[in-house]
Amino acid sequence: MLPKKSERFGKSSSELDNLFALSGQNEVISFAAGYPANELFPKKELDRAFKVRSTKVEASFYQYGEVLGYTPLRKKIVNYANNCLKINCAVENIMLTQGAQQGINLLAEYFLDVGDGIVVEAPSYIGALEAFEAKAPAFYEVPVREDGMDMDVLEETLMQHDVKLIYTIPNFQNPTGYCMSLAKRKQLVNLAQKYGVLVVEDDPYRELRFSGESLPTIKSFDTEGNVVTLGSFSKILSPALRTGWMIGDKNLIKALSNVRLTQDCQPSNIVSEMIDEYLESNDLFEHIQDMNKFYSQRKNVMIKALQANLPSGCSVSNPEGGFFIWVTLPENIDSNVLLQSNAGVTFISSGALFVVSHEKNHMRLNFSGVSPTLIMQGCKQLCCTIEEAIKKIAVVA
Amino acid sequence: MLPKKSERFGKSSSELDNLFALSGQNEVISFAAGYPANELFPKKELDRAFKVRSTKVEASFYQYGEVLGYTPLRKKIVNYANNCLKINCAVENIMLTQGAQQGINLLAEYFLDVGDGIVVEAPSYIGALEAFEAKAPAFYEVPVREDGMDMDVLEETLMQHDVKLIYTIPNFQNPTGYCMSLAKRKQLVNLAQKYGVLVVEDDPYRELRFSGESLPTIKSFDTEGNVVTLGSFSKILSPALRTGWMIGDKNLIKALSNVRLTQDCQPSNIVSEMIDEYLESNDLFEHIQDMNKFYSQRKNVMIKALQANLPSGCSVSNPEGGFFIWVTLPENIDSNVLLQSNAGVTFISSGALFVVSHEKNHMRLNFSGVSPTLIMQGCKQLCCTIEEAIKKIAVVA
């Protein structure tokens, strides 16, 4: 007989696990995943990066490294932060993480005790919600509008409740695809400073912009150290590298590195050196431009297919980048019922993405990992299912 | 202004961080680390493993993989477990982890709430102690004898207190080098079943046996799923691979995989494929035999140097394997004072390794990562410092 698990793990199933399961089904068209397209991995260049670097280095290539990660790679992220993100930082401000997910988890672990207040966007990324949920916090939802979090609701929440942490995805938000406006970014920093709250800026899709203009990071307006920015190579290079980064106040990064030592000690130097060599021998931004053309096409195919086939009463987001399209159905349609009934196409139903209100009438559709032909086919099929569901409810009513 | 961190992180410094800092000092002779010798990494073979595998695979090599890790590698661990560890298991019982450290952390996260009871050996591995400490549990120390945990003290503890988890390193214990006897292994399983406690069997040094006979894993006596075994490629292949494994009850592994999804999603397939290819094209056990000859020599040099130079009143363990030698000084000598005063040689002082009693008069010395010449030089120097300290105290007394 085993001892009881922590009460923080009340649920026996995991939405994130379900998501990966949905993503892996071959017999269906999967709009559920958040995977980059296999075709886009610069395999030749990454393979070469390993070979080049491994011939240059000593056996200590295979030894323990630093908890914050391989310094030359952290320096490259400093350059990127200074030049592209307009974040004034040094190597002490950077920690390499196992994907951005580890960054979220480290911050949750370090700041949250059971019952602590935290603000999340409604809807939000299921992986972050579950990382926070493992700390059994008090969740407060703030709706995401087309220009980002509703700042009035946010300030009201901060006035009424003790909140330690605000989690936001400012660019091509997962799952809505919305971007936070410039004004709201500044406002968010001001609110965070006024109420002494940490802002976790999760920004994995930033560079995947197909049109429109890039906005400065929230962190770039932060003068007091209230914002931590998370980035990742998963979407712009390869998720198998399991490498992201965290940019924050140097004292905070130091404290988090001590937490990280107890979690998995440090990142792999092998993979870090591969990335470092790739960045030295290739133009990542050129690669990203190619990706954006490719993804933009897929997004357009999906938007067209949805606009042509969605019954009236439904709406569709049209993001300028990222991986996802957000579909809102009539209020009386439960997207999870659709998902269960519709064997041929999978997607993410919205219930679990609204951590408090559990709004059910939305769907997150991924276009990055699906071919245009399958996107068209899947969207048609999905729209038929939606139409039938609406008719059925009309008859019942 | 930042919000307050969790109260679980009361300390501002980390002993594990100090350890890594001590390990990295070049101007001193460092007996502090727990590093494998650089000379022993099979760099050529590991480099080749990447090259071979990367030419065989598709671009999906760089895609997301499975949360439990690359299945072919998990199957090899199943074979090893069945044949060498006498653990009857299948692929569902195995999770690949970022070193054994992640296994410890996942178990702590899943089982422990603030104040929960946990038994650790006294002394124990600082990385585990700090991973547990992050959950703010109630620690109970059980002394380690030359044949393992004191089972009488353990049973008394289990009778008197609610305990969820017992953490033990049965082979070449870190820091003492002691091994748990066969009888005690069986007894531990019986106690765990009787009191409904989880046993975490941390076994990274198992294969590093220079002499004597290998004993069955604690897990091999477990019929009820009360034991989880942790292993690692860090010491027998390379720590930069950041790959260990966890063997446990399949329902528990499934539950932990959901926790792991929120922590860092999954391990890197790139590194897993490297290891898998290495294991297919090389004889790891032959490599381990070579390592053991090499380390055995270093251990003998250290034992001799200590026996020749240690003043009376001190004792030294003589382990049959592993990475560490344990020195016990007269009770009135504080090893941390020695460490601070003795600029030329570093080691791990014992205070933090006894999580409750903080016994100060011991030292953990590592021999695996230091050349024989430096071992001799360092031991002489260290013994002089000890002798002086003893004399000084005698004069004061």
Side-chain angles (χ1 to χ4, degrees):
Chain A
M1 191 197 67
L2 279 177
K4 268 199 287 191
K5 64 188 174 186
S6 157
E7 285 167 13
R8 292 173 289 114
F9 298 96
K11 289 195 312 180
S12 61
S13 76
S14 147
E15 293 294 334
L16 198 55
D17 182 38
N18 296 342
L19 188 157
F20 273 100
L22 284 174
S23 314
Q25 292 175 14
N26 286 324
E27 65 284 14
V28 299
I29 299 174
S30 175
F31 297 147
Y35 287 12
N38 278 329
E39 300 91 312
L40 293 183
F41 296 127
K43 179 170 186 305
K44 210 181 61 189
E45 291 79 6
L46 283 168
D47 287 354
R48 187 180 164 279
F50 178 94
K51 288 173 206 165
V52 168
R53 198 52 70 99
S54 68
T55 58
K56 276 189 195 164
V57 294
E58 310 275 305
S60 60
F61 185 51
Y62 288 108
Q63 188 55 280
Y64 282 105
E66 295 166 75
V67 55
L68 290 179
Y70 185 62
T71 303
L73 181 54
R74 284 161 62 216
K75 283 188 183 155
K76 288 188 178 62
I77 292 167
V78 169
N79 286 339
Y80 168 68
N82 287 335
N83 298 326
C84 304
L85 307 180
K86 307 297 174 206
I87 298 171
N88 197 351
C89 67
V91 77
E92 299 79 27
N93 299 98
I94 313 280
M95 186 198 299
L96 300 183
T97 54
Q98 296 290 119
Q101 187 71 39
Q102 189 181 36
I104 298 170
N105 180 59
L106 278 171
L107 290 162
E109 172 72 5
Y110 186 68
F111 281 102
L112 299 180
D113 288 308
V114 171
D116 277 353
I118 130 170
V119 165
V120 295
E121 294 169 330
S124 189
Y125 162 53
I126 189 68
L129 295 178
E130 296 214 338
F132 294 130
E133 205 168 306
K135 307 303 168 195
F139 277 111
Y140 303 106
E141 268 187 14
V142 171
V144 189
R145 312 296 177 199
E146 284 199 41
D147 64 346
M149 295 182 94
D150 186 314
M151 289 292 148
D152 296 333
V153 178
L154 176 62
E155 178 143 31
E156 214 169 295
T157 306
L158 295 178
M159 282 195 302
Q160 288 176 3
H161 305 281
D162 269 341
V163 168
K164 277 193 161 177
L165 189 156
I166 301 168
Y167 174 76
T168 178
I169 306 165
N171 292 309
F172 316 118
Q173 203 249 7
N174 180 357
T176 60
Y178 298 152
C179 286
M180 189 182 284
S181 68
L182 184 65
K184 284 192 173 178
R185 289 170 196 236
K186 292 179 184 170
Q187 218 177 329
L188 180 54
V189 171
N190 289 336
L191 287 174
Q193 289 178 358
K194 181 170 166 190
Y195 290 94
V197 182
L198 180 80
V199 174
V200 180
E201 178 181 32
D202 190 8
D203 207 8
Y205 307 106
R206 174 178 192 81
E207 300 300 337
L208 299 174
R209 176 173 281 283
F210 318 148
S211 62
E213 251 192 87
S214 192
L215 292 173
T217 54
I218 299 170
K219 177 79 183 151
S220 68
F221 303 111
D222 174 28
T223 53
E224 315 262 311
N226 283 68
V227 184
V228 172
T229 295
L230 306 175
S232 176
F233 288 107
S234 290
K235 310 296 192 267
I236 54 176
L237 200 52
S238 148
L241 299 164
R242 307 301 313 121
T243 304
W245 59 86
M246 179 192 269
I247 310 177
D249 172 80
K250 77 175 181 190
N251 294 320
L252 178 59
I253 293 290
K254 174 69 193 160
L256 292 171
S257 78
N258 288 339
V259 181
R260 197 246 173 91
L261 278 171
T262 71
Q263 293 206 340
D264 66 355
C265 285
Q266 55 185 243
S268 167
N269 267 351
I270 300 170
V271 170
S272 299
E273 292 235 27
M274 268 177 82
I275 301 172
D276 194 60
E277 177 64 36
Y278 173 89
L279 294 174
E280 282 183 10
S281 310
N282 301 273
D283 186 338
L284 176 59
F285 288 99
E286 210 174 280
H287 172 60
I288 290 173
Q289 275 189 3
D290 294 341
M291 294 177 84
N292 283 341
K293 272 182 217 155
F294 183 96
Y295 287 141
S296 166
Q297 215 174 5
R298 290 192 167 186
K299 188 209 76 170
N300 291 336
V301 170
M302 185 174 268
I303 291 285
K304 258 191 206 161
L306 289 171
Q307 287 175 342
N309 296 290
L310 266 180
S312 67
C314 303
S315 68
V316 179
S317 73
N318 190 354
E320 292 184 316
F323 272 14
F324 307 110
I325 284 173
W326 185 242
V327 177
T328 296
L329 308 169
E331 268 186 32
N332 52 5
I333 303 288
D334 182 338
S335 62
N336 196 44
V337 173
L338 290 188
L339 181 63
Q340 302 307 327
S341 68
N342 185 44
V345 185
T346 62
F347 54 85
I348 300 298
S349 58
S350 61
L353 310 181
F354 293 84
V355 76
V356 178
S357 60
H358 298 293
E359 286 187 23
K360 290 181 167 52
N361 60 316
H362 313 267
M363 309 186 295
R364 188 193 81 171
L365 305 184
N366 167 265
F367 54 81
S368 63
V370 193
S371 74
T373 316
L374 288 179
I375 287 178
M376 283 191 285
Q377 198 182 317
C379 283
K380 266 190 197 162
Q381 203 172 321
L382 193 58
C383 290
C384 279
T385 315
I386 295 169
E387 204 162 349
E388 277 165 35
I390 293 178
K391 274 184 197 157
K392 213 184 276 176
I393 283 177
V395 169
V396 174
Chain B
M1 190 197 67
L2 279 177
K4 268 200 287 192
K5 64 187 174 186
S6 158
E7 285 168 12
R8 293 173 288 114
F9 299 95
K11 290 196 310 181
S12 62
S13 75
S14 148
E15 294 294 334
L16 198 57
D17 182 38
N18 296 342
L19 188 157
F20 274 98
L22 284 173
S23 315
Q25 291 176 13
N26 286 325
E27 66 283 14
V28 300
I29 299 174
S30 174
F31 298 146
Y35 287 12
N38 278 329
E39 301 91 311
L40 295 182
F41 296 127
K43 180 171 186 304
K44 210 180 61 189
E45 292 79 4
L46 283 169
D47 288 354
R48 188 181 163 278
F50 178 94
K51 288 173 206 163
V52 168
R53 198 52 70 101
S54 68
T55 57
K56 277 188 196 165
V57 293
E58 310 275 306
S60 60
F61 186 51
Y62 288 108
Q63 187 56 279
Y64 282 106
E66 296 166 76
V67 56
L68 290 179
Y70 185 63
T71 303
L73 181 54
R74 284 160 62 215
K75 283 187 183 157
K76 290 188 177 61
I77 292 168
V78 169
N79 286 338
Y80 168 68
N82 287 334
N83 298 325
C84 304
L85 306 181
K86 307 298 175 206
I87 299 172
N88 197 351
C89 68
V91 77
E92 299 79 28
N93 299 98
I94 312 281
M95 187 198 298
L96 299 184
T97 54
Q98 296 290 119
Q101 186 71 39
Q102 189 182 34
I104 298 170
N105 180 60
L106 278 172
L107 290 162
E109 172 74 5
Y110 186 67
F111 281 102
L112 299 181
D113 288 307
V114 171
D116 278 351
I118 131 168
V119 165
V120 295
E121 294 170 331
S124 189
Y125 163 52
I126 189 66
L129 295 177
E130 296 213 339
F132 294 129
E133 205 168 307
K135 307 301 167 194
F139 276 111
Y140 303 106
E141 268 188 13
V142 171
V144 189
R145 313 296 177 199
E146 284 199 41
D147 63 347
M149 296 182 95
D150 187 314
M151 288 292 148
D152 296 334
V153 177
L154 175 61
E155 179 144 30
E156 214 169 295
T157 307
L158 296 178
M159 283 194 301
Q160 288 175 3
H161 304 283
D162 269 341
V163 167
K164 276 194 163 177
L165 188 157
I166 301 168
Y167 174 76
T168 179
I169 307 164
N171 292 309
F172 317 119
Q173 203 248 5
N174 181 357
T176 60
Y178 298 151
C179 286
M180 189 182 285
S181 68
L182 184 66
K184 284 192 173 178
R185 288 171 196 237
K186 292 179 185 171
Q187 219 177 329
L188 180 54
V189 172
N190 289 337
L191 286 174
Q193 289 178 358
K194 182 170 165 190
Y195 291 94
V197 181
L198 180 80
V199 175
V200 181
E201 178 181 32
D202 190 8
D203 207 9
Y205 306 107
R206 174 179 191 81
E207 300 300 337
L208 299 175
R209 176 173 280 283
F210 317 148
S211 61
E213 252 191 86
S214 192
L215 292 173
T217 54
I218 299 170
K219 177 78 183 151
S220 68
F221 302 112
D222 174 29
T223 53
E224 315 263 312
N226 282 69
V227 184
V228 173
T229 296
L230 306 174
S232 176
F233 288 107
S234 290
K235 310 297 191 266
I236 54 175
L237 201 51
S238 149
L241 299 165
R242 307 303 311 120
T243 303
W245 60 85
M246 179 192 269
I247 311 178
D249 172 80
K250 76 174 182 191
N251 294 320
L252 178 58
I253 293 290
K254 174 69 194 161
L256 292 170
S257 79
N258 288 339
V259 181
R260 197 246 173 90
L261 278 172
T262 71
Q263 293 206 341
D264 67 355
C265 285
Q266 54 184 244
S268 167
N269 268 351
I270 300 170
V271 170
S272 299
E273 292 236 26
M274 269 177 81
I275 300 173
D276 193 60
E277 177 64 36
Y278 174 89
L279 294 175
E280 283 183 9
S281 310
N282 301 274
D283 186 339
L284 176 59
F285 288 99
E286 210 174 280
H287 173 59
I288 291 173
Q289 273 188 4
D290 293 342
M291 294 177 83
N292 283 340
K293 273 182 215 153
F294 183 96
Y295 287 141
S296 167
Q297 216 174 6
R298 289 191 168 186
K299 188 209 74 171
N300 291 336
V301 170
M302 185 174 269
I303 291 285
K304 258 192 205 160
L306 289 171
Q307 286 174 343
N309 297 291
L310 267 181
S312 68
C314 302
S315 68
V316 179
S317 73
N318 190 354
E320 293 184 315
F323 272 12
F324 306 110
I325 284 174
W326 184 243
V327 176
T328 297
L329 307 169
E331 269 186 32
N332 52 6
I333 302 289
D334 182 338
S335 62
N336 196 45
V337 174
L338 290 188
L339 181 64
Q340 302 307 326
S341 68
N342 184 46
V345 185
T346 61
F347 54 87
I348 300 298
S349 59
S350 61
L353 310 181
F354 293 83
V355 76
V356 179
S357 60
H358 298 295
E359 287 187 24
K360 290 180 167 52
N361 60 315
H362 313 267
M363 307 187 295
R364 188 193 81 170
L365 305 184
N366 168 265
F367 54 81
S368 63
V370 194
S371 76
T373 318
L374 288 180
I375 287 177
M376 283 190 285
Q377 199 182 315
C379 283
K380 267 190 197 162
Q381 204 172 320
L382 193 58
C383 290
C384 279
T385 314
I386 296 170
E387 203 163 349
E388 278 166 33
I390 292 178
K391 275 184 197 157
K392 213 184 278 176
I393 283 178
V395 169
V396 173

